[in-house]
């Protein structure tokens, strides 16, 4: 929509759809807006090569001639979220979803990145952003499966803060997780074990992190005890949950977690 409001776009009669690579009018006809061409291999997996017509830019030359602040639509789609936040700083309706992505540690994603290239953890965090962007209507329970996969330590803290925002809205969060920072932030932890496979599947411990840390035979408790500065319990794995009404000692709402051996 922003590109459609530029003087050149108005002069050419371009509508917002012109700048979508899903619409035939504006996209490259050779690669159909994919930026790549699939080459079938008889005895090997098919390969994708860069489109020679648009050179991976997805759009035809007429669409790319329209620029906003010196950038065309292909340049914008190649931007990382963090860069786009600076570029579109004056457009609140664009900045809000971008800021949510940055808040969950996804500032490195490019705006035009295909959905099939996201990891499981990235896809879950994008879904979280979509939920935070919509207006809350009723109590919702969110179940996340190891959303910290691939995250830097600083980004894990951002994820916990985002989960807290869901709790502050009145929702509940359940997280299956092995990361100690997430388990430590939980209101209630359920640890299943004591080992994996046929040697596990039993409830080893349940309660707040302090209770898990003091449970003999808890593998998770052994590591939590060190984190909490408590006497070390013996060892086992865990699961945790948080609801909208509970809080941690520091007054912040933590995130739910299902935890295995750290």
């Amino acid at each position: 929509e922003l590109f459609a409001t530029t003087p050149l776009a108005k002069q050419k009669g371009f509508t917002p759809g012109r700048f979508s690579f899903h619409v035939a009018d504006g996209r490259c006809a050779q690669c159909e807006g994919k930026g790549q061409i699939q080459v079938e291999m008889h005895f090997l997996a098919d390969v994708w090569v860069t489109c020679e017509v648009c050179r991976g830019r997805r759009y035809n030359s007429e669409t790319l001639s329209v620029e906003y602040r010196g950038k065309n639509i292909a340049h914008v789609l190649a931007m990382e979220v963090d860069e786009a936040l600076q570029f579109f700083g004056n457009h609140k309706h664009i900045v809000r979803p971008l800021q949510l992505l940055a808040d969950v540690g996804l500032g490195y994603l490019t705006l035009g990145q295909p959905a099939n290239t996201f990891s499981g953890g990235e896809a879950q965090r994008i879904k979280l952003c979509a939920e935070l962007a919509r207006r809350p209507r009723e109590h919702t329970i969110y179940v996340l499966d190891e959303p910290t996969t691939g995250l830097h330590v600083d980004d894990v803290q951002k994820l916990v803060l985002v989960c807290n925002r869901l709790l502050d809205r009145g929702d509940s969060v359940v997280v299956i997780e092995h990361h100690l920072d997430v388990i430590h932030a939980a209101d209630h932890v359920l640890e299943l074990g004591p080992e994996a496979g046929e040697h596990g599947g039993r409830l080893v411990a349940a309660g707040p992190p302090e209770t898990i840390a003091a449970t003999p035979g808890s593998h998770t408790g052994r590591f939590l005890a060190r984190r909490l500065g408590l006497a070390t319990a013996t060892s086992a794995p865990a699961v945790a949950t948080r609801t909208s009404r509970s809080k941690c000692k520091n007054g912040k709402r933590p995130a739910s977690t299902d935890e295995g051996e750290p």
Side-chain angles (χ1 to χ4, degrees), residues 19 32 36 39 44 65 67 80 114-115 127 144-145 147 155 157 162 168 178 180 184 186 209 211 220 225 228 238:
F19 301 95
E32 297 182 334
Q36 296 178 315
V39 179
L44 298 172
S65 67
E67 295 185 347
E80 293 186 352
K127 177 62 176 175
L144 306 178
D145 185 3
D155 292 329
Q157 296 303 322
V162 169
D168 291 336
H178 293 75
L180 274 180
H184 180 246
T211 298
T220 303
L228 297 170

Side-chain angles (χ1 to χ4, degrees), residues 215-226:
T215 301
S218 168
H219 293 313
T220 303
R222 179 158 49 94
F223 290 93
L224 276 177
R226 298 172 185 171

Side-chain angles (χ1 to χ4, degrees), residues 115-128:
N116 61 3
T117 64
F118 297 141
S119 69
E122 288 171 341
Q124 289 186 80
R125 280 175 272 149
I126 290 172
K127 177 62 176 175
L128 271 182

Side-chain angles (χ1 to χ4, degrees), residues 13-167:
F14 290 168
T15 62
R18 178 85 190 197
F19 301 95
S20 169
F21 50 76
H22 297 297
V23 179
D25 289 344
R27 71 189 182 189
C28 171
Q30 182 71 18
C31 64
E32 297 182 334
K34 298 182 179 70
Q36 296 178 315
I37 302 292
Q38 185 177 16
V39 179
E40 295 185 3
M41 308 292 285
H42 292 294
F43 303 105
L44 298 172
D46 293 346
V47 297
W48 290 83
V49 297
T50 301
C51 175
E52 295 181 355
V53 176
C54 68
R55 291 177 291 176
R57 293 180 294 181
R58 298 184 175 186
Y59 296 90
N60 57 40
S61 57
E62 194 171 9
T63 303
L64 293 175
S65 67
V66 178
E67 295 185 347
Y68 172 75
R69 293 180 57 194
K71 304 284 187 182
N72 61 36
I73 186 64
H75 294 144
V76 169
L77 292 180
M79 288 182 180
E80 293 186 352
V81 170
D82 288 338
E83 180 185 358
L85 270 172
Q86 301 298 321
F87 187 76
F88 295 109
N90 295 327
H91 298 275
K92 294 182 179 180
H93 65 290
I94 297 178
V95 167
R96 185 166 183 265
L98 293 177
Q99 187 61 59
L100 288 173
L101 288 170
D103 289 346
V104 295
L106 295 177
Y108 58 87
L109 294 181
T110 58
L111 300 188
Q113 186 167 331
N116 61 3
T117 64
F118 297 141
S119 69
E122 288 171 341
Q124 289 186 80
R125 280 175 272 149
I126 290 172
K127 177 62 176 175
L128 271 182
C129 292
E131 291 297 316
L132 283 169
R134 71 177 179 85
R135 291 172 179 252
R137 297 177 182 175
E138 57 187 12
H139 176 262
T140 303
I141 299 176
Y142 296 94
V143 180
L144 306 178
D145 185 3
E146 301 196 13
T148 63
T149 301
L151 281 186
H152 185 274
V153 175
D154 291 340
D155 292 329
V156 172
Q157 296 303 322
K158 293 179 182 178
L159 176 64
V160 171
L161 291 175
V162 169
C163 289
N164 288 340
R165 289 168 64 176
L166 289 172
L167 296 175

Side-chain angles (χ1 to χ4, degrees), residues 162-204:
V162 169
C163 289
N164 288 340
R165 289 168 64 176
L166 289 172
L167 296 175
D168 291 336
R169 291 196 329 183
D171 297 323
S172 298
V173 182
V174 178
V175 185
I176 303 169
E177 188 56 77
H178 293 75
H179 201 291
L180 274 180
D181 287 345
V182 180
I183 299 172
H184 180 246
D187 290 334
H188 194 81
V189 180
L190 301 176
E191 179 175 7
L192 302 179
E195 305 297 340
E198 62 182 8
H199 302 294
R202 296 188 296 277
L203 183 63
V204 175

